Amino acid sequence: MLITGFPSDVFGTNCYVVAEAPGEQCVIVDPGIGVEKRLDEVLAEHRLQPAAVLLTHGHLDHTFSVAPVCGAKGIPAYVHPADRELLADPAKALSMDPARLFGGRLTYTEPEDVAPLTDGEAIVIAGLEITVDHAPGHTGGSVLFRLPAGAARGWEADEVCLSGDVLFAGSIGRTDLAGGSMTAMTASLRDRILPLADDTIVLPGHGPATTIGRERATNPYLLEAMRPAPTRGL
């Protein structure tokens, strides 16, 4: 399996490309701001043909280039229904209008072909079987994408998890924006992240790759999620 990625020009959002092998179809995960040129270079380098764009959630730094990428390639975008409205109006998750955020220099457009992601489903695209886990907290529609690691990058692991802004190396995504919830995030960490095997490779929405085992041992938010709930006396 081929997995490659690079950070976007703005906010350092990781954009990933996943395929069975060079020369095959692929999926693009989270095409953020200013990724189009670099993305085309990656696709050409590995002779890949995009089949779909997958979105871990609806924040603008992960979705900004989804419409031009999907339009140019004639492919659909997949997003969880709870974040669908953010593809139409990303300002709903921001404290200001996107045009003000970028000084009016960048224009966001909504993709035409949008398909829903369902919790627990295994979608088959480009020859890849990708399991979708709904993991709200950062946004209401945040998801994880899990797939077999295979021989990708020589990893000795059974599974790869593209975690979006649910889990980072040493941290988690913020929960103070519209649609965020620390209570929901803690539940997602406990019920979605912690059950994963220690050797699972985590490819986050920002920052370097890590493993579940490393985060289980060192990430303060996972350590907190592992604590038993306090009991109440009579």
Side-chain angles (χ1 to χ4, degrees):
M1 184 174 66
L2 169 68
I3 302 181
T4 187
F6 58 92
S8 68
D9 292 342
V10 182
F11 301 120
T13 306
N14 291 326
C15 176
Y16 296 103
V17 177
V18 186
E20 279 195 302
E24 303 288 345
Q25 287 191 314
C26 69
V27 295
I28 299 164
V29 181
D30 289 355
I33 300 168
V35 303
E36 292 173 72
K37 180 180 178 181
R38 180 72 182 107
L39 180 58
D40 283 341
E41 292 172 349
V42 169
L43 297 175
E45 176 185 356
H46 299 286
R47 310 182 314 282
L48 298 172
Q49 177 61 45
V53 168
L54 306 182
L55 300 172
T56 60
H57 62 289
H59 280 165
L60 195 66
D61 59 323
H62 291 251
T63 68
F64 188 86
S65 296
V66 63
V69 168
C70 287
K73 314 299 182 186
I75 57 177
Y78 287 76
V79 70
H80 190 276
D83 276 10
R84 175 62 182 87
E85 66 177 355
L86 298 182
L87 293 189
D89 184 7
K92 289 184 176 181
L94 300 173
S95 58
M96 65 176 68
D97 182 80
R100 288 180 55 203
L101 182 64
F102 301 112
R105 293 177 289 108
L106 301 176
T107 303
Y108 173 83
T109 54
E110 180 182 2
E112 293 184 3
D113 187 359
V114 181
L117 294 168
T118 302
D119 180 37
E121 74 174 329
I123 56 176
V124 179
I125 305 175
L128 303 164
E129 184 172 319
I130 303 169
T131 300
V132 179
D133 295 322
H134 184 210
H138 180 61
T139 67
S142 291
V143 299
L144 312 172
F145 296 121
R146 295 185 291 114
L147 61 162
R153 292 185 179 178
W155 289 325
E156 295 182 2
D158 291 332
E159 194 169 55
V160 172
C161 175
L162 290 98
S163 63
D165 285 5
V166 176
L167 181 68
F168 303 141
S171 190
I172 61 172
R174 59 190 295 182
T175 60
D176 60 330
L177 295 174
S181 164
M182 191 62 212
T183 299
M185 176 66 87
T186 299
S188 292
L189 297 176
R190 182 187 66 238
D191 300 335
R192 300 300 193 178
I193 295 295
L194 285 172
L196 300 179
D198 280 349
D199 69 351
T200 300
I201 303 297
V202 178
L203 301 180
H206 301 267
T210 184
T211 66
I212 291 295
R214 184 180 303 148
E215 298 311 303
R216 193 191 309 278
T218 63
N219 189 308
Y221 296 95
L222 285 187
L223 292 170
E224 180 66 27
M226 286 189 285
R227 291 183 180 178
T231 57
R232 294 183 179 181
L234 296 176

